[in-house]
């Protein structure tokens, strides 16, 4: 079929006659790949620059307008051995990276100010201990104020704005005590300096901002990194569709460029990328990604087809539809909306801490103020002590406690080819006590395989493959794929509904149904061994073979289930497939609690029931029918082979054929949560020691500075322990 | 104590220079790819060009 590719939607046109494009590239693993791509692309005439971003696995190319077709870049990369997928950086992405840059700028300013003020402060502290002239001290304090006040006005804005938002909404968050602490510390220091006082807290206030900005930046970095990866995933998964123009020309376009009302051609073996109505053609569809059902489903003109199904036997012309009421996608969309609502009730650990923390801090400061007045101190002095309490309790360590652990744990997961899409998924993973698996494509490999490979005679493999490739029957197609046969046999004779035959090496060979090949005896034996499989028979001369075809378990599925059980987790299967197909899988894995034949809504209801029992469920699934359950579960995971919608609904996506990442993720999540809790308890301990000293009025700026940097350092170092001891997991 | 009049502005100026350098790095995307930059150092594509030049000079000097 002559179809041209059109990628012009992805090209961005820059100033002075250049054009550019971003590509997500599959398979950039090392520096060698980076060099290969850059060298290879630089040989392309007309290309101005090609730059690989190794951290993000992306390539940015620029060329002179008109000198090059964008498709040539993709072709060139394919020739180099890399699959590239163009994509448009979304608007959300821009907003996030703007926020990140702003935080980094604030961090830079706060860092500069903290260092310079500390330089002045250390001089004052050592001078106070010896014989500093008051006028010099005043000069140093005024210089500090000169640096600190503009810095706080600039670098403190992220906190001030967030605190204002919280107050306006009638709530209190962590930023309220931070804002109060910083503003009061600066105000008090200016007043002290005015009155030639000995102590000023400019260094404390700015250092506080510096440390808190580090925590805030790590948090944002985590969010952007998970989102970047999600963006890459979306680009990697975006299939192309073939659009038929009015004059019958076929053009291959990315799905993003297809509009409702377009006519799309889907060849046999292609995945349907759109929802629509079949206008012309007759075929069978593999709906396993959509419903979990493994048997092929026949369609003809007028039938409705859904994105994600696989076209098996015949070419289809499909009229693209808008997603209207009553379609499967719409139904799943609605269920997902419901499910996400229940999810949003989850309160992050950091927010929980903030809710406890803010009122406690304010109450302590107020009690200190009133207490000292009752004790007979002048109100000015009492106020100074109350403010030092606010400064010393400022959640320096708290602000770092969770983001630092998250960043470390996320990179540990990334090394194991697991991608977090939500930062708080780590905390939720740690709470899991029940694991629910989907069957098709999750416990089993996404593609059908030969189950009794030992029965296939080695000397006939090529012949069987060639014959299978000549057939359009879904079973034969799966067989051809499993045998890696691409070239169909010549001169085959097809017997409708039975099979096909060809003369191979002088012998008359048949491939088809069991009756067609007269192989009932062999079929009995194969059926006893693989009760849930589909069968295809082969006869060549007197030799008869029955090949069982079905979904194979993922290689380490049994091991993973065993590890999960060992951790004390309940393991369940909720499948949309027939009970007969699910039972053998459950038996092989030793899973007792199984439910089969579930609709998407029933899966979600089953999860809701589990949640009502007080269980925290990890849902692992890949199909369109799993998407509502994935969105509704306490936390959810999807393999990379899953449908877009399932991946969009999942918190975590894992790569590779194995299922072990599920167990590893839970282990890393538990470890991360343990470290977070340790950090939070350390922050409590720090306050338990520091607050009485502050309440007693004994805190000097030197003590405040040492306590703040010390606690932040301890918390960060503790978070880094998440990187150590990878052997302890799983 | 006059030394302070020199040292303080000097310290501030150095700090500001560092801050300026940091902003420059951000604006020009020096932090966009933290992994790749380390490997780029190891490329010797610039050497290839110089080798050719050297070979060219050699050829010139040999020809009378």
């Amino acid at each position: 079929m002559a179809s041209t590719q059109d990628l012009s939607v992805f090209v961005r046109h820059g100033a002075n006659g250049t054009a550019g494009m971003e590509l997500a590239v599959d398979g950039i693993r090392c520096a060698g790949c980076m060099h290969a791509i850059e060298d290879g692309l630089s040989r392309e005439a007309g290309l101005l620059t090609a730059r690989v971003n190794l951290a993000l696995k992306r390539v940015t190319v620029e060329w002179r307008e008109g000198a090059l077709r964008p498709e040539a870049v993709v072709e060139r990369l394919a020739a180099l051995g890399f699959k590239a997928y163009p994509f448009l950086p979304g608007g959300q992405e821009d907003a996030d990276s703007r926020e990140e840059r702003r935080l980094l700028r604030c961090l830079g300013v706060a860092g500069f100010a903290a260092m310079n003020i500390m330089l002045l402060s250390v001089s004052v502290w050592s001078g106070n201990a010896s014989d500093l002239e008051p006028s010099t001290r005043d000069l140093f304090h005024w210089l500090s104020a000169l640096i600190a006040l503009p810095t706080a006005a600039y670098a403190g804005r992220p906190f001030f704005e967030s605190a204002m938002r919280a107050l306006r909404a009638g709530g209190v968050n962590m930023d309220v005590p931070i804002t109060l602490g910083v503003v009061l510390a600066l105000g008090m220091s200016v007043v002290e300096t005015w009155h030639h006082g000995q102590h000023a807290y400019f260094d404390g206030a700015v250092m506080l901002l510096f440390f808190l900005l580090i925590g805030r930046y790590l948090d944002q970095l985590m969010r952007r990194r998970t989102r970047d990866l999600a963006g890459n995933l979306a680009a990697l998964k975006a299939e192309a569709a073939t659009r038929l123009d009015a004059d019958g020309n076929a053009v291959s376009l990315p799905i993003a460029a297809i509009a409702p009302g377009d006519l799309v051609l889907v060849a046999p073996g292609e995945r349907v990328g759109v929802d629509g109505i079949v206008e012309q053609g007759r075929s069978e569809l593999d709906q396993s990604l959509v419903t979990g059902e493994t048997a092929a489903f026949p369609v003809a003109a007028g039938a409705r087809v859904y994105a994600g199904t696989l076209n098996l036997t015949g070419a289809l012309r499909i009229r693209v539809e808008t997603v209207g009421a009553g379609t499967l996608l719409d139904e799943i969309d609605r269920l997902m909306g419901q499910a996400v609502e229940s999810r949003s009730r989850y309160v992050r650990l950091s927010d929980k801490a903030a809710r406890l923390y803010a009122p406690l801090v304010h109450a302590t400061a107020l009690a200190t103020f009133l207490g000292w007045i009752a004790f007979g101190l002048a109100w000015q002095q009492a106020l100074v002590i109350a403010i030092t309490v606010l400064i010393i309790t400022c959640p320096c360590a708290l602000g770092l406690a969770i983001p630092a652990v998250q960043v470390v744990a996320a990179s540990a997961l990334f090394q194991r080819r697991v991608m977090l899409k939500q930062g708080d998924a780590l905390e939720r993973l740690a709470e899991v006590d029940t694991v629910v698996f989907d069957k098709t494509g999750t416990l089993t490999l996404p593609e059908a395989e030969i189950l009794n490979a030992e029965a296939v005679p080695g000397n006939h493999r090529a012949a069987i493959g060639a014959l299978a490739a000549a057939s359009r029957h879904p079973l034969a197609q799966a067989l051809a794929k499993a045998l890696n046969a691409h070239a169909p046999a010549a001169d085959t004779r097809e017997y409708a509904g039975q099979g096909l035959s060809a003369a191979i090496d002088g012998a008359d060979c048949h491939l088809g149904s069991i009756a067609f090949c007269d192989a009932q005896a062999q079929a009995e034996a194969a059926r006893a061994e693989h009760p849930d499989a589909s069968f295809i028979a082969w006869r060549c001369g007197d030799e008869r073979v029955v090949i069982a075809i079905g979904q194979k378990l993922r290689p380490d599925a049994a091991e993973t289930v065993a590890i999960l059980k060992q951790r004390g987790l309940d393991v369940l299967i909720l499948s949309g497939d027939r009970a007969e197909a699910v039972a053998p899988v459950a038996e092989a894995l030793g899973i007792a609690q199984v439910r089969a034949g579930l609709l998407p809504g029933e899966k979600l209801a089953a999860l809701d029931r589990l949640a009502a029992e007080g269980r925290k469920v990890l849902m692992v699934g890949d199909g369109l029918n799993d998407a509502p359950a994935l969105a509704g579960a306490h936390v959810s995971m999807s393999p990379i082979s899953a449908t877009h919608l399932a991946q969009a609904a999942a918190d975590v996506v894992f790569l590779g054929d194995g299922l072990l990442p599920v167990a590893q993720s839970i282990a890393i999540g538990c470890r991360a949560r343990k470290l977070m809790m340790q950090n939070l308890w350390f922050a409590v301990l720090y306050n338990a020691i520091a607050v009485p000293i502050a309440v007693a009025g004994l805190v000097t700026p030197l003590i405040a500075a040492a306590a703040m940097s010390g606690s932040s350092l301890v918390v960060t170092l503790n978070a880094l322990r998440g990187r150590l001891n990878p052997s302890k997991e799983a | 104590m006059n030394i302070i009049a020199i040292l303080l502005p000097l310290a501030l100026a150095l700090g500001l220079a560092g801050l300026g350098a940091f902003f420059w790095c951000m604006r020009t995307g020096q932090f966009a790819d933290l992994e790749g930059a380390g490997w780029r150092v190891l490329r010797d594509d610039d050497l290839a060009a110089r080798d050719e030049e050297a070979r060219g000079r050699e050829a010139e000097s040999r020809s009378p």
Side-chain angles (χ1 to χ4, degrees), chain A residues 219-231:
Chain A
D219 200 38
Q220 182 69 26
L221 188 72
M222 173 85 192
R223 211 171 301 166
R224 196 201 43 142
R225 198 193 277 171
T226 53
R227 217 237 11 271
D228 275 346
L229 287 172

Side-chain angles (χ1 to χ4, degrees), chain A residues 424-453:
Chain A
D424 59 346
L426 275 171
E427 302 167 20
R428 286 185 271 129
L429 267 172
E431 295 173 350
V432 161
D433 55 14
T434 308
V435 183
V436 173
F437 284 103
D438 168 50
K439 182 189 76 87
T440 319
T442 306
L443 286 173
T444 65
L445 287 168
E447 285 179 1
E449 303 237 8
I450 302 172
L451 295 178
N452 55 348

Side-chain angles (χ1 to χ4, degrees), chain A residues 51 90 108 166 248 293 345 367-368 516 521 543 548 551 614 651 678 698:
Chain A
R51 200 169 169 88
E293 167 71 55
R345 266 177 268 145
T368 309
F516 180 60
E543 205 176 341
Q551 254 84 19
D651 299 307
Q678 275 175 7
L698 297 175

Side-chain angles (χ1 to χ4, degrees), chain A residues 9-10 239 253-259:
Chain A
V9 258
F10 293 108
E239 293 117 308
L253 286 170
I255 295 283
I258 300 279

